[in-house]
Amino acid sequence: MTKAELYLIKPEYSLGDKVQGTFKISHDGWFDKPVEVKPFFEVLGEEVSTVIEKKTVTTTGTDGRPVTEEQQIPHTSKNTFFKKDLSDRLLHALGKPASNGYILLEKGTKEIPFEFVLDDASVMLETYDGTNVEIYYKLNVVIDKKPFLALDTRKQLMFPVLGKNINIQSNSVNEIEEDKLVKLNLRMDKDTFSTNDSIKGKIQITNSLRTPIKNVEVGVRDMERARADNLIKKSDL
């Protein structure tokens, strides 16, 4: 029996970090013999959006009469925004070359260190588990065995990645008009904020006719936007 394990040095990482860990493979069962294998090892960052479409349909009931009911149809979209192939590291460390890209895995246990950098800042997203959107990072290992009908060995490990900055709003300015007489401008002191930052801004009211104003309320609204098959779902968080 061949068993694979994945270990990371830290429980979580930030964008731009170097990720280090160990891949462990055991091929040491009582009846195990050397076997030809081809390893596939990759790290993926994926965003999965799910939008539920509500559709009214008419079906035929058990009595033959038409029955109108509402169905919920899920639409899912997956975007792989980060991908790195780490297979070469395993290929050179697991055993001797055999044939057709396979290597000979001897009986025993091996531990192989690996590392990669979460470096593509232009497309990287932080881990997120929302109502309709999920963003995750995972390590994927597949040990493809010969012959064709042999049972492959698979292992997956998911790990959280934290973002350094959160984009609030481009320009950070919003203008609201009431009756063309009262204008309300909201302006933030910067465009980008980090976790635990204090958010500061200014409210500017232009009241040309000095219309009585009872009160002004300011709130923060966090929203999630999911898109799949040209359907869009917005949710308050």
Side-chain angles (χ1 to χ4, degrees), residues 22-76:
T22 302
F23 168 73
K24 180 181 179 181
I25 185 167
S26 301
H27 182 66
D28 53 5
W30 183 262
F31 296 103
D32 282 339
K33 297 179 180 180
V35 61
E36 291 186 25
V37 301
K38 182 183 291 185
F40 297 93
F41 186 21
E42 63 182 359
V43 54
L44 297 172
E46 295 181 328
E47 177 186 19
V48 179
S49 299
T50 302
V51 178
I52 303 298
E53 179 187 11
K54 295 182 179 179
K55 186 177 282 188
T56 301
V57 298
T58 301
T59 60
T60 303
T62 54
D63 57 358
R65 296 181 179 180
V67 177
T68 300
E69 59 181 14
E70 185 179 77
Q71 292 184 352
Q72 294 189 343
I73 304 172
H75 297 262
T76 301

Side-chain angles (χ1 to χ4, degrees), residues 10-17 118 124-128 135 137 159-166 195:
K10 298 195 303 183
E12 62 185 26
Y13 293 86
S14 297
L15 300 179
D17 279 357
L118 299 166
M124 298 292 281
L125 303 172
E126 66 175 314
T127 298
Y128 176 74
I135 299 172
Y137 290 79
F159 61 97
V161 175
L162 308 181
K164 292 183 178 179
N165 293 312
I166 301 175
T195 305

Side-chain angles (χ1 to χ4, degrees), residues 186-205:
L186 305 177
R187 183 179 295 274
M188 313 301 292
D189 62 343
K190 57 181 181 178
D191 292 340
T192 305
F193 295 88
S194 300
T195 305
N196 298 322
D197 273 2
S198 294
I199 300 177
K200 298 179 181 180
K202 291 182 180 181
I203 302 174
Q204 182 183 35
I205 300 175

Side-chain angles (χ1 to χ4, degrees), residues 174-189:
N174 193 10
E175 182 178 291
I176 302 173
E177 294 186 2
E178 286 289 343
D179 301 328
K180 306 293 183 179
L181 301 176
V182 179
K183 292 183 179 181
L184 176 64
N185 286 281
L186 305 177
R187 183 179 295 274
M188 313 301 292
D189 62 343

